[in-house]
Amino acid sequence: MNENIIYDSEKFKSMIHYIISRCHTKDNFARVVLYKLLYFSDFDNYEKYEKPISGETYIRKQMGPVPSHFFEAIGELIDEGKIDERSERVINYSKYKYSSLTDPDISLLSSDEIQVIDDTINKLSHFYSEEISQYSHGDIPWRLAKDGEILNYEAVFYRDPEYSVREYDD
């Protein structure tokens, strides 16, 4: 599973920074929403073009897919002065919000990849954390994995029509 997929840390950081730059002013935009926008961008690109954008490994967690290199990438972006992270206390948990401090370097991203990310943002960035988590639970890669397992990119070819982004010949 996912044997031929190579993780590109710089592309993953570009994806993160680009999404933050596009969404950081939205009230609902926090870590969980960012996780799902990354997941759907990579998996939608795989369905459409048979390759992910970053090659990130996503893990099945209770709240939906979670990128495995997220904290490493966020830490580097903060250290590089490109983004800011702050936490807000909400009842009994911390909500992590992000803002972009510089324009993202998107030179590593192709125009097709940027279009897939933009489509994902346009389709899903209005959801709040709980809503986007519930939505992600309907996608077949998450449904096929067990808790803590890696999500299989190939599963996108078995998506329900609601999640599919590719035009298939009948």
Side-chain angles (χ1 to χ4, degrees), residues 158-170:
Y158 303 96
R159 282 176 155 172
D160 294 332
E162 170 186 1
Y163 293 89
S164 184
V165 295
R166 183 171 174 168
E167 296 293 324
Y168 292 96
D169 297 330
D170 290 333

Side-chain angles (χ1 to χ4, degrees), residues 40-127:
F40 279 107
S41 293
D42 260 332
F43 276 67
D44 288 358
N45 202 80
Y46 194 85
E47 183 185 9
K48 233 177 167 166
Y49 301 110
E50 300 183 14
K51 61 181 183 171
I53 298 171
S54 72
E56 171 63 317
T57 300
Y58 294 86
I59 309 296
R60 186 187 201 267
K61 298 285 188 178
Q62 182 180 352
M63 292 294 288
V66 174
S68 63
H69 297 96
F70 182 80
F71 292 107
E72 177 184 324
I74 283 289
E76 289 177 19
L77 287 166
I78 291 168
D79 290 346
E80 294 165 7
K82 295 179 178 175
I83 65 165
D84 182 47
E85 175 187 69
R86 64 194 178 290
S87 68
E88 300 172 0
R89 196 77 186 140
V90 180
I91 307 168
N92 60 350
Y93 68 94
S94 292
K95 179 179 182 180
Y96 291 89
K97 305 272 289 177
Y98 300 93
S99 56
S100 182
L101 303 174
T102 64
D103 289 336
D105 176 4
I106 56 171
S107 62
L108 295 175
L109 302 171
S110 71
S111 58
D112 286 339
E113 291 168 339
I114 291 168
Q115 186 61 57
V116 168
I117 297 168
D118 285 342
D119 290 347
T120 302
I121 289 169
N122 292 337
K123 181 179 178 184
L124 302 173
S125 68
H126 66 281
F127 284 125

